[in-house]
């Protein structure tokens, strides 16, 4: 059972496609979405796989750290380095689950084109209430009053005293001190000062419409080299979360089950979380189309955990 948890944030640097397979809808290859809300998400398995790959790449020249990766994420018998295989002397230790667990990546802030200020980060009460509830799992009790259709006092996106324009829609909003406090908290938590100017809390329905209709949809083709034209059946569309999308996930830890004699400083759930936070790369790639620069994200670990 997991005993400790921390939140970490995923900020897209380039558009990200974490796909759900082919679809019969308008988009041939849509992104993953929650079944009950329709909000974008990253399946925990996809997230864990991307992070594990980044850990293995980062620790490949440090045997002890590489062994710790196999202990914390679980033993994977695919192309195991000999130094790692020899460290797992007991066959049973290869069969244990890892000591790290991950929640699905959930949407927190979604970027939308704004008539003023270039773009705004939108969210809604449904998203924020769930986010603050998730923070409690990591022992953090953040209480804010959430006011829909509101902006911070220092907003830079209002076109007049009462309105903003997102995409082609004019929306009436109010400046609100509680929203200012939320913007200041998120700005400090994420290390992004512009949130204080660009945050908008919409109502739940408007937010759902934007995250459904304002993702990036790209048409791709494959050229037949012999003919110089589009290859038959090779015209398709892909959906992407846009750059500047901010998501979050929880990483959870338990004490070590698999015992490897050469590793002496990795035992408790605290040791496991400390290894994760100190080894986690600040930039990694998540999702498909890595060879064309998609899915580059920056990662930031949130406030420290408690029991």
């Amino acid at each position: 059972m997991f005993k400790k948890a921390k939140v970490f944030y995923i900020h897209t640097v380039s558009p990200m496609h974490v796909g759900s397979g082919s679809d019969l809808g308008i988009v041939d290859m849509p992104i993953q979405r929650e079944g009950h809300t329709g909000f974008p998400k990253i399946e925990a398995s996809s997230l864990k796989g991307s992070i594990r790959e980044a850990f293995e790449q980062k620790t490949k020249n440090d045997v002890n750290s590489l062994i710790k990766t196999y202990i914390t994420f679980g033993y994977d018998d695919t192309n195991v380095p000999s130094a790692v295989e020899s460290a797992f002397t007991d066959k049973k230790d290869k069969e244990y689950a890892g000591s790290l667990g991950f929640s699905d990546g959930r949407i927190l802030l979604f970027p939308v084109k704004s008539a003023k200020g270039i773009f705004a980060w939108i969210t809604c009460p449904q998203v924020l209430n769930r986010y603050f509830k998730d923070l409690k799992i990591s022992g953090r009790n953040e209480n804010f009053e959430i006011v829909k259709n509101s902006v911070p006092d220092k907003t830079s996106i209002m076109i007049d005293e009462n309105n903003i324009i997102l995409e082609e829609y004019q929306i009436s909003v109010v400046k609100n001190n509680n929203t200012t406090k939320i913007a200041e908290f998120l700005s400090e938590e994420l290390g992004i000062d512009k949130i204080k100017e660009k945050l908008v809390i919409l109502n739940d329905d408007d937010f759902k419409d934007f995250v459904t209709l304002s993702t990036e949809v790209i048409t791709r083709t494959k050229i037949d080299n012999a003919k110089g034209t589009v290859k038959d059946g090779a015209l398709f569309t892909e959906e992407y979360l846009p750059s500047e999308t901010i998501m979050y996930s929880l990483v959870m830890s338990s004490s070590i089950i698999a015992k490897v004699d050469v590793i002496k400083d990795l035992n408790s759930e605290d040791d496991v979380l400390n290894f994760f936070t100190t080894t986690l790369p600040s930039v990694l790639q998540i999702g498909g189309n890595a060879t064309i620069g998609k899915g580059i994200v920056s990662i930031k670990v949130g406030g420290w955990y408690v029991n």
Side-chain angles (χ1 to χ4, degrees):
M1 178 178 177
F2 296 115
K3 299 178 181 179
K4 294 286 180 71
K6 274 189 79 119
V7 64
F8 66 97
Y9 300 95
I10 303 154
H11 186 177
T12 59
V13 176
S14 63
M16 179 175 66
H17 174 81
V18 183
S20 60
S22 59
D23 192 82
L24 297 177
I26 297 173
V27 179
D28 297 316
M29 301 178 69
I31 59 174
Q32 294 174 356
R33 292 181 179 272
E34 296 174 352
H36 64 302
T37 66
F39 295 168
K41 72 170 183 176
I42 305 173
E43 283 283 352
S45 57
S46 301
L47 191 56
K48 181 183 178 183
S50 297
I51 295 174
R52 177 178 185 137
E53 181 182 13
F55 267 65
E56 290 182 358
Q57 286 296 314
K58 186 173 182 178
T59 62
K60 63 183 180 180
N61 296 320
D62 181 344
V63 173
N64 276 2
S65 293
L66 186 57
I67 293 171
K68 288 179 180 179
T69 296
Y70 275 74
I71 294 173
T72 54
F73 283 87
Y75 191 88
D76 182 356
D77 58 6
T78 305
N79 298 321
V80 183
S82 57
V84 173
E85 188 169 12
S86 61
F88 283 77
T89 54
D90 191 334
K91 184 180 179 181
K92 290 183 179 179
D93 289 332
K94 298 180 181 181
E95 299 172 354
Y96 289 130
S99 298
L100 283 173
F102 296 85
S103 70
D104 289 345
R106 290 176 160 177
I107 192 74
L108 179 59
L109 301 174
F110 186 78
V112 176
K113 182 171 63 176
S114 172
K116 190 173 181 182
I118 303 178
F119 76 93
W121 271 303
I122 65 169
T123 188
C124 69
Q126 167 75 20
V127 167
L128 289 174
N129 281 320
R130 184 170 65 176
Y131 166 64
F132 291 128
K133 186 177 180 180
D134 287 343
L135 284 184
K136 290 181 180 180
I137 297 175
S138 64
R140 300 174 60 188
N141 191 17
E142 309 291 349
N143 292 310
F144 297 97
E145 181 181 345
I146 300 169
V147 179
K148 63 184 178 181
N149 288 346
S150 64
V151 294
D153 293 332
K154 296 181 180 179
T155 185
S156 63
I157 63 171
M158 295 185 73
I159 59 169
D160 57 34
E161 289 297 317
N162 302 299
N163 296 284
I164 60 176
I165 295 179
L166 301 179
E167 298 286 357
E168 66 269 33
Y169 303 103
Q170 180 170 310
I171 301 172
S172 296
V173 295
V174 295
K175 293 182 179 180
N176 183 271
N177 186 54
N178 293 302
T179 302
T180 299
K181 292 178 181 178
I182 293 173
E184 289 173 346
F185 169 78
L186 292 174
S187 177
E188 182 177 355
E189 179 79 358
L190 290 159
I192 304 173
D193 195 57
K194 287 290 185 181
I195 292 175
K196 298 175 186 178
E197 303 174 11
K198 293 181 175 292
L199 181 68
V200 182
I201 301 178
L202 298 177
N203 64 60
D204 292 341
D205 290 335
D206 286 347
F207 178 82
K208 181 178 179 180
D209 287 343
F210 277 114
V211 299
T212 301
L213 302 173
S214 294
T215 55
E216 294 185 13
V217 177
I218 298 174
T219 301
R220 297 187 60 191
T221 63
K222 183 176 182 180
I223 302 299
D224 186 318
N225 290 334
K227 298 178 180 178
T229 57
V230 176
K231 193 172 182 179
D232 290 342
L235 178 67
F236 61 96
T237 53
E238 282 182 328
E239 185 180 21
Y240 290 83
L241 278 175
S243 302
E244 303 293 353
T245 300
I246 298 174
M247 307 181 81
Y248 72 94
S249 174
L250 290 174
V251 57
M252 297 158 284
S253 68
S254 64
S255 56
I256 294 298
I257 302 174
K259 302 297 183 182
V260 176
D261 291 338
V262 295
I263 303 299
K264 306 297 185 182
D265 58 345
L266 191 67
N267 297 292
S268 69
E269 57 271 15
D270 294 285
D271 296 335
V272 172
L273 264 189
N274 185 61
F275 172 69
F276 176 82
T277 56
T278 55
T279 311
L280 181 67
S282 59
V283 177
L284 53 84
Q285 194 278 332
I286 298 175
N289 299 320
T291 58
I292 54 174
K294 305 300 185 183
I296 306 301
V297 302
S298 63
I299 302 290
K300 183 181 185 299
V301 178
W304 199 242
Y305 62 91
V306 297
N307 282 314

